[in-house]
Amino acid sequence: MVYTPARPSKGVPAIRINLYSDTQTRPTPAMREAMSRAEVGDEQAGNDPTVHALCDRVAALLGKETAVFLPSGTMCNVVAILTHCRAGEEVIAHETSHILTSEGAAHAAFTGVQILQLRGARGLFTGEDVRAAIRPRTRYAPTQRLLEVEQTANIGGGTVWPLAQLNAVAAVARGEGWSTHMDGARLMNACVASGVAAKEMAASFDSVWIDFTKGLGAPLGAVLAGSAAFIDDAWRWKQRLGGSMRQAGICAAACLYALDHNVDRLAEDHRNAKALARGLRQMPNVAVEEPETNLVFFDPAGAGLPAPELIRRLRLQGVHLSLLGGRVRACTHLDVTEAMIEEALGLIRRELAAV
Ligand SMILES: *Cc1c(COP(=O)(O)O)cnc(C)c1O
């Protein structure tokens, strides 16, 4: 097994147009400037003022009592599930969710929970789906503890959960006495696309986090929010996992900068994603999913080029795309301009015309 990606090798051209992921954005000079001016302390000891400012700001944004700064979104999910659940309990989540597909089975390894997988188009499910998944309370059946949703649903297509549907699934969970957790890695994309405030989106959920390394463009960090009691317990797991930091205000400053400057502009990424989808749809036999936010999934197989081959050919021309769930995923973000979208479309058109 090779778990370590190859380092960029000579001969492969530099990436000019990076549609691989919104995680690959580079901190801008202004963000770096904000980081360099950050007032810092010892985060683990609870006295980094910039981290406190960030946590207070995110707690208010998400309508929760308090929040904790963590190095990554994955750690937010791990810490949240460890805090909500005990080994042997069951988490209910979509079959394409990040906790199932992309965290190295962290939840099996650390928490010992089992994840019941719900199906549903575009990464979403309904209150009825949750109701149908309720197990009898017997000695035989696993104890169900937590409902998890992903806003936006990544592999689902960057899909936005409508507010009513979020509230409906959470209401079923609450009726059963389960806790509720929102993986809000791209929650701000959902808010900008729908016009619904983050605290409304998060209202039915006991815990929710946002990632600063996706469209918000910071170099690292995510903030998990919830009740004071929940965050107190979460801190214990953060400490155990080695997620407590020191002069983390340097990074929190980048996150505060992102909240001030990089939220409203997500609309631009959504426009670019739509433009990309529009261009792709004009290419015969390319299956294109209509983007709702900044992720565009398409499958060029019908036009004669399997997704991995198109990705390989584009990469040789400096355009970086990813393969996710068997399709091509193109992701727009603050390092992608309208002109780059036009250029990428031209190159894809040329590859498909040549087959
Ligand atoms: C990226 C992502 C995560 C994990 O975040 P990291 O900061 O990369 O650890 C979790 N959930 C979803 C939906 C994501 O897209």
Side-chain angles (χ1 to χ4, degrees):
M1 251 352 223
V2 177
Y3 292 121
T4 311
R7 293 189 185 189
S9 50
K10 294 201 185 84
V12 178
I15 297 166
R16 287 181 299 111
I17 302 178
N18 197 341
L19 298 166
Y20 183 85
S21 177
D22 45 10
T23 55
Q24 300 203 349
T25 51
R26 300 290 197 264
T28 58
M31 182 180 275
R32 288 171 190 252
E33 173 67 26
M35 295 172 78
S36 75
R37 284 196 313 264
E39 220 187 302
V40 297
D42 182 341
E43 191 256 0
Q44 188 172 129
N47 63 28
D48 186 301
T50 310
V51 171
H52 283 313
L54 175 66
C55 290
D56 290 351
R57 178 108 179 248
V58 174
L61 177 73
L62 301 178
K64 302 298 175 202
E65 242 178 316
T66 188
V68 59
F69 190 39
L70 289 162
S72 72
T74 299
M75 201 182 280
C76 288
N77 280 335
V78 171
V79 163
I81 291 180
L82 282 163
T83 307
H84 284 299
C85 304
R86 286 178 19 186
E89 294 180 331
E90 193 168 67
V91 176
I92 294 89
H94 195 274
E95 62 179 349
T96 60
S97 60
H98 198 277
I99 58 169
L100 262 158
T101 62
S102 309
E103 298 179 4
H107 309 284
F110 301 139
T111 322
V113 295
Q114 149 170 314
I115 304 180
L116 178 66
Q117 308 183 20
L118 299 184
R119 300 222 164 102
R122 298 189 47 82
L124 312 189
F125 47 80
T126 64
E128 269 320 295
D129 296 328
V130 180
R131 207 176 297 286
I134 297 170
R135 296 184 188 272
R137 292 181 188 225
T138 65
R139 287 184 179 160
Y140 310 107
T143 300
Q144 298 184 296
R145 177 63 62 212
L146 177 71
L147 179 78
E148 193 252 11
V149 303
E150 210 172 279
Q151 178 73 304
T152 65
N154 180 350
I155 296 178
T159 332
V160 179
W161 281 81
L163 182 59
Q165 196 168 342
L166 282 177
N167 291 339
V169 297
V172 177
R174 259 203 314 278
E176 291 302 302
W178 309 344
S179 302
T180 50
H181 172 67
M182 176 184 283
D183 169 343
R186 294 188 181 82
L187 173 59
M188 299 320 294
N189 289 86
C191 295
V192 167
S194 64
V196 177
K199 62 161 71 107
E200 282 187 67
M201 292 280 198
S204 300
F205 292 80
D206 298 310
S207 54
V208 55
W209 62 271
I210 57 172
D211 210 332
F212 284 93
T213 65
K214 302 284 164 80
L216 298 183
L220 63 85
V223 175
L224 172 67
S227 70
F230 175 86
I231 296 300
D232 198 47
D233 287 348
W235 249 105
R236 187 84 174 135
W237 284 113
K238 164 175 154 115
Q239 179 69 23
R240 285 181 180 139
L241 292 172
S244 298
M245 297 175 277
R246 299 301 187 184
Q247 285 69 50
I250 295 265
C251 301
C255 301
L256 284 165
Y257 179 91
L259 287 175
D260 287 334
H261 299 93
N262 293 348
V263 175
D264 293 341
R265 66 150 306 287
L266 292 170
E268 203 177 304
D269 300 341
H270 300 170
R271 273 196 299 280
N272 283 335
K274 287 212 186 301
L276 180 62
R278 218 166 25 245
L280 289 166
R281 222 176 281 111
Q282 286 161 3
M283 301 177 199
N285 303 316
V286 176
V288 189
E289 297 169 34
E290 178 59 21
E292 294 182 32
T293 53
N294 68 327
L295 306 177
V296 183
F297 284 84
F298 64 98
D299 188 355
L305 266 190
E309 181 57 19
L310 178 71
I311 291 168
R312 194 187 68 81
R313 292 188 188 187
L314 267 287
R315 179 64 190 84
L316 294 175
Q317 297 167 75
V319 179
H320 201 23
L321 294 159
S322 66
L323 183 71
L324 200 63
R327 309 100 92 201
V328 182
R329 190 187 79 168
C331 182
T332 57
H333 51 75
L334 81 169
D335 291 346
V336 174
T337 63
E338 204 180 326
M340 289 178 185
I341 295 292
E342 284 312 311
E343 187 182 345
L345 279 168
L347 294 173
I348 295 169
R349 201 176 293 117
R350 202 169 66 190
E351 287 303 328
L352 293 178
V355 294

